[in-house]
C-alpha cells in the first residue's frame, strides 16, 4: 500500500498545516513528503498542481481509463463518488504532483499501480466547507468509476 513520493512536489502552507493536525494518522510516505516538500503560500501554488480538494482527471496506467476524482481529507472520503482520501495510497501519491506527472502506488495486495495526472479543474481550489458542494456536483454527473474487478486508482 506504499506510495512513491520521490519527485519534487509543491505543498501549500495551508495543506501542510491541515495535514499536521492529523499527523498521527499519516502514512510514513506522507510524513516524509511533508518534511521534504517545497512549502508555498496557498495563493502562490500554480494551478497545475494537485492540492487538497483538487478535482483531478487521471488516466489509469494499465487500462488507460479516465477518471475524475477529488483529493480530500479522510472525513470527506467517499470513493464511490470519487472522493479519495489523502491518507490512501493513491491520494498520497497524487498530492503535490503537476499535470503530466505520473503517480505510483501499490494496492493492499502489493500490485503496482500508476496514473497520469491529465487535468485539474480550475474551480476546485477550495477548502473542506465546500466539499458538500463538490460532492453534489460530482454525483450529478456520471463519473467514471472502475468496476471492483479492475485495479482502479480509486480502489
Amino acid at each position: 500500500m506504499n506510495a512513491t513520493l520521490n519527485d519534487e512536489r509543491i505543498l501549500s502552507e495551508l495543506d501542510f498545516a491541515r495535514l499536521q493536525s492529523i499527523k498521527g494518522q499519516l502514512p510514513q510516505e506522507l510524513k516524509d513528503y511533508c518534511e521534504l516538500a517545497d512549502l508555498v503560500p496557498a495563493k502562490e501554488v500554480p494551478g497545475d498542481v494537485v492540492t487538497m480538494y483538487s478535482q483531478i482527471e487521471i488516466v489509469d496506467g494499465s487500462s488507460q481509463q479516465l477518471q475524475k476524482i477529488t483529493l480530500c481529507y479522510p472525513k470527506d472520503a467517499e470513493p464511490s463518488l470519487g472522493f479519495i482520501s489523502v491518507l490512501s495510497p493513491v491520494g498520497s501519491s497524487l498530492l503535490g504532483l503537476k499535470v503530466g506527472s505520473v503517480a505510483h502506488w501499490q494496492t493492499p495486495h502489493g500490485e503496482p499501480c500508476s496514473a497520469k495526472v491529465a487535468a485539474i479543474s480550475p474551480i476546485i481550489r477550495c477548502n473542506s466547507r465546500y466539499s458538500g458542494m463538490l460532492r453534489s456536483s460530482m454525483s450529478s454527473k456520471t463519473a467514471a468509476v472502475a468496476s471492483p474487478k479492475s485495479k482502479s486508482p480509486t480502489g
Side-chain angles (χ1 to χ4, degrees):
M1 288 180 41
N2 296 330
T4 303
L5 296 174
N6 56 4
D7 298 327
E8 285 188 32
R9 297 182 186 210
I10 296 172
L11 182 63
S12 76
E13 292 171 345
L14 178 61
D15 289 348
F16 176 80
R18 288 180 175 166
L19 287 170
Q20 294 307 299
S21 72
I22 58 170
K23 194 170 188 169
Q25 300 174 41
L26 297 182
Q28 186 60 48
E29 295 84 3
L30 196 52
K31 288 178 188 176
D32 293 344
Y33 166 55
C34 287
E35 291 177 16
L36 300 172
D38 290 328
L39 294 180
V40 177
K43 291 182 180 183
E44 295 178 20
V45 175
D48 67 343
V49 172
V50 176
T51 61
M52 295 304 300
Y53 294 97
S54 288
Q55 188 177 19
I56 313 156
E57 291 183 15
I58 57 174
V59 178
D60 183 275
S62 60
S63 71
Q64 300 304 303
Q65 179 181 0
L66 179 70
Q67 286 188 285
K68 287 185 179 183
I69 63 171
T70 300
L71 187 62
C72 65
Y73 292 101
K75 66 181 178 68
D76 294 324
E78 290 189 35
S80 65
L81 295 178
F83 284 81
I84 307 303
S85 171
V86 69
L87 300 184
S88 70
V90 67
S92 294
S93 68
L94 286 166
L95 184 63
L97 287 182
K98 292 183 177 185
V99 170
S101 298
V102 178
H104 299 276
W105 68 94
Q106 292 182 359
T107 68
H109 302 291
E111 298 172 32
C113 296
S114 66
K116 182 177 181 176
V117 179
I120 300 175
S121 296
I123 60 165
I124 45 64
R125 301 296 169 131
C126 62
N127 62 35
S128 62
R129 73 177 185 211
Y130 297 108
S131 63
M133 178 179 64
L134 284 171
R135 188 172 292 117
S136 295
S137 71
M138 284 188 69
S139 62
S140 67
K141 296 179 184 176
T142 309
V145 178
S147 69
K149 296 178 185 176
S150 69
K151 295 189 305 185
S152 79
T154 59

